[in-house]
Amino acid sequence: MLRYAVVQGGLGLLAVRRACVLARFAHSAPKSEYRPIKKVMVANRGEIAIRVFRACTELGIRTVAVYSEQDTGQMHRQKADEAYLIGKGLPPVAAYLDIPDIIRVAKDNNVDAIHPGYGFLSERSDFAQACADAGVMFIGPSPETVRKMGDKVEARSLAISAGVPVVPGTDAPIASLQEAQVFAQTYGFPIIFKAAYGGGGRGMRVVREYEELEENYQRAYSEALTAFGNGALFVEKFIEKPRHIEVQILGDKYGNVIHLYERDCSIQRRHQKVVEIAPAFQLDPHLRDRLHADAVNLAKQVGYENAGTVEFLVDRHGKHYFIEVNSRLQVEHTVTEEITDVDLVHAQLHVCEGRSLPELNLKQDKIRVNGCAIQCRVTTEDPARGFQPDTGRIEVFRSGEGMGIRLDSASAFQGAVISPHYDSLLVKVIASGKDLHTASSKMSRALAEFRVRGVKMNAGYSKKTTM
């Protein structure tokens, strides 16, 4: 057995401990399968970039931020060990979509791995492939898996092959309004248009009668084209007032897949999640088991690696339907971490390096639920004006804190400038307790403590949804 003497303190001690762990593992793992990560770039911005940087620092991994010209003063740039400009001369969002420039920065600065965060390039198979072609590890599934899961039609077909129930819908993206009309005549209204190559509520339109069909088709196509660069749509029968339940999965390079239980994301506004709860409240135990089993079976069907989420709708009769796989870390991953005590970003990094889930002590029978957690997304939106995004400088900021409260943020401080160019998320508030009532009470108290001046925010609205 190898033994090591550690004589340093502080950050040096962290680095030495990590080196010791890596050295021990290197003796037991196949060399071709294990690649230690020493430097990580996050190809993203805001709170998710900071979340990943913190996990890397805890593991003794050096961090690299990228930023657009408009983000020169943003906090995520300052939280990393190194920071580099990307997309010079490009519009704000386009800078974070500039794959060649991101890869260039990674290669020029000896980056071992890139974490995509969520949004932007996180579900782009061409980005995952570009990383592989450049010899940089992509902290996520393989390019082929990202492609399959990003294509909702193919993901649907794979779910059917795995024996997972799906909502009635088209087998391929529709090519015209006439195909949507035929589908509606066959299955009846309401129906829903969905972007074939993206998610997050973009390119999604519900149609309840024939007269609304053409307008909603055009709007959904335009939204999908703007958000994802591809306006392709498919059509599904719309399930009225379903519960939106998603299962967190984690896979490794050796075929092991586990679930980390489920989240209820049914509280939404315009198909955007507002409040997320883990575990799902008053979910039938047999249904819960079926959801977990279907999520794991589907992941195994595609050889899923790293973190992901399998999303389902549950109708009023308790019947569940697969809707999509998000092949990335979710915004709401925090509530899963709180109830399972599993750091999902740590797990992502270790899996990317080539470590197996059993070696990380991530075995299904070891994963337990402890209590309940709720996440609310506090945004710079004005509920009095139809949740129109608000921008400007934060003049006063006081957050809700205290026992059982976790805050994930980037621009939530006095003097921060809220940009009109990006998502309006200000801070994620996560409350944990022994049960739903306790967590809800902590959340209501924390949201009531928020004081923000200079920009409008939705904390009051979020407080009402958790009461």
Side-chain angles (χ1 to χ4, degrees):
M1 177 183 290
L2 295 174
R3 298 184 183 276
Y4 301 86
V6 178
V7 295
Q8 289 181 257
L11 290 175
L13 177 60
L14 258 179
V16 172
R17 283 178 176 167
R18 174 173 167 78
C20 294
V21 171
L22 298 185
R24 283 199 298 271
F25 181 71
H27 281 270
S28 59
K31 294 186 183 303
S32 60
E33 294 287 345
Y34 182 70
R35 292 174 61 188
I37 296 174
K38 298 178 182 178
K39 185 185 284 190
V40 166
M41 169 195 285
V42 179
N44 215 299
R45 67 183 301 277
E47 62 86 15
I48 187 57
I50 293 174
R51 166 72 186 93
V52 177
F53 293 153
R54 286 171 171 160
C56 290
T57 300
E58 290 164 4
L59 295 175
I61 298 173
R62 195 165 176 82
T63 56
V64 176
V66 292
Y67 61 94
S68 67
E69 290 178 311
Q70 295 77 14
D71 271 351
T72 301
Q74 287 297 305
M75 185 61 71
H76 79 279
R77 177 188 177 187
Q78 301 170 44
K79 290 287 187 180
D81 295 312
E82 305 171 28
Y84 302 98
L85 176 68
I86 55 170
K88 187 174 183 180
L90 292 177
V93 173
Y96 290 99
L97 300 176
D98 190 343
I99 295 176
D101 208 24
I102 291 171
I103 295 297
R104 175 192 62 77
V105 170
K107 293 290 288 180
D108 288 350
N109 295 282
N110 300 312
V111 167
D112 299 305
I114 296 179
H115 194 298
Y118 52 71
F120 292 132
L121 296 169
S122 62
E123 293 181 276
R124 289 270 298 270
S125 59
D126 55 341
F127 180 52
Q129 187 62 56
C131 291
D133 293 344
V136 178
M137 289 180 274
F138 178 76
I139 302 174
S142 68
E144 180 62 10
T145 299
V146 175
R147 184 194 65 77
K148 289 178 179 178
M149 296 298 96
D151 183 339
K152 287 186 174 63
V153 175
E154 184 162 356
R156 174 189 173 87
S157 176
L158 289 166
I160 294 171
S161 299
V164 180
V166 299
V167 178
T170 53
D171 294 328
I174 59 175
S176 66
L177 173 63
Q178 287 68 36
E179 289 185 47
Q181 292 170 335
V182 170
F183 181 88
Q185 290 167 0
T186 303
Y187 293 98
F189 292 100
I191 63 173
I192 185 168
F193 291 115
K194 288 185 176 181
Y197 298 102
R202 305 294 196 277
M204 187 179 290
R205 290 277 169 170
V206 177
V207 186
R208 298 187 178 279
E209 53 189 44
Y210 187 84
E211 288 73 20
E212 301 174 351
L213 195 60
E214 183 173 0
E215 179 184 357
N216 281 282
Y217 171 80
Q218 297 296 343
R219 287 188 175 185
Y221 179 89
S222 178
E223 287 176 4
L225 183 64
T226 300
F228 312 114
N230 189 323
L233 305 170
F234 70 96
V235 190
E236 285 182 355
K237 178 68 178 173
F238 181 65
I239 307 298
E240 292 278 11
K241 297 181 179 178
R243 291 185 72 176
H244 188 134
I245 309 293
E246 59 187 32
V247 179
Q248 178 70 56
I249 56 170
L250 190 62
D252 63 20
K253 297 178 184 293
Y254 312 102
N256 300 301
V257 179
I258 62 170
H259 70 78
L260 289 94
Y261 295 88
E262 78 288 338
R263 303 181 283 258
D264 190 323
C265 305
S266 302
I267 301 176
Q268 301 184 12
R269 183 179 59 80
R270 298 173 187 164
H271 307 295
Q272 297 278 351
K273 298 166 187 173
V274 177
V275 177
E276 297 98 355
I277 303 170
F281 182 60
Q282 292 185 341
L283 190 65
D284 178 82
H286 298 294
L287 174 58
R288 174 177 277 118
D289 290 343
R290 290 196 297 273
L291 290 168
H292 296 164
D294 281 348
V296 170
N297 288 340
L298 177 56
K300 288 183 175 180
Q301 172 93 359
V302 298
Y304 198 92
E305 178 188 327
N306 217 276
T309 301
V310 184
E311 304 203 0
F312 299 93
L313 296 181
V314 178
D315 69 17
R316 66 188 67 181
H317 306 293
K319 188 173 181 179
H320 68 287
Y321 303 94
F322 164 81
I323 50 173
E324 65 181 345
V325 174
N326 292 125
S327 55
R328 54 173 168 81
L329 200 65
Q330 295 276 84
V331 179
E332 60 272 19
H333 75 277
T334 57
V335 290
T336 295
E337 293 181 325
E338 295 302 310
I339 66 165
T340 62
D341 199 31
V342 173
D343 188 312
L344 286 169
V345 181
H346 280 193
Q348 284 190 293
L349 293 164
H350 289 315
V351 165
C352 185
E353 288 178 317
R355 302 183 67 176
S356 71
L357 295 183
E359 184 185 7
L360 297 171
N361 202 31
L362 291 172
K363 302 176 183 178
Q364 195 63 72
D365 61 355
K366 300 288 187 182
I367 308 297
R368 294 283 186 270
V369 170
N370 181 27
C372 176
I374 305 172
Q375 175 179 284
C376 285
R377 307 185 191 196
V378 175
T379 62
T380 53
E381 296 174 322
D382 186 356
R385 300 178 62 190
F387 294 91
Q388 181 176 322
D390 198 16
T391 60
R393 184 180 298 275
I394 296 178
E395 298 171 358
V396 174
F397 182 83
R398 189 177 79 207
S399 67
E401 299 174 358
M403 182 178 177
I405 298 297
R406 165 181 169 180
L407 303 175
D408 281 23
S409 67
S411 299
F413 58 91
Q414 185 175 352
V417 176
I418 304 303
S419 167
H421 304 298
Y422 305 106
D423 188 86
S424 59
L425 179 64
L426 179 66
V427 56
K428 299 189 312 195
V429 184
I430 304 95
S432 302
K434 64 180 180 179
D435 52 32
L436 180 60
H437 175 74
T438 304
S440 180
S441 296
K442 290 181 180 292
M443 177 63 77
S444 294
R445 183 264 302 161
L447 291 175
E449 290 181 9
F450 271 85
R451 293 291 183 274
V452 177
R453 299 288 183 270
V455 293
K456 300 293 185 181
M457 68 170 187
N458 72 335
Y461 170 82
S462 296
K463 181 175 181 291
K464 291 178 183 178
T465 65
T466 61
M467 295 177 67

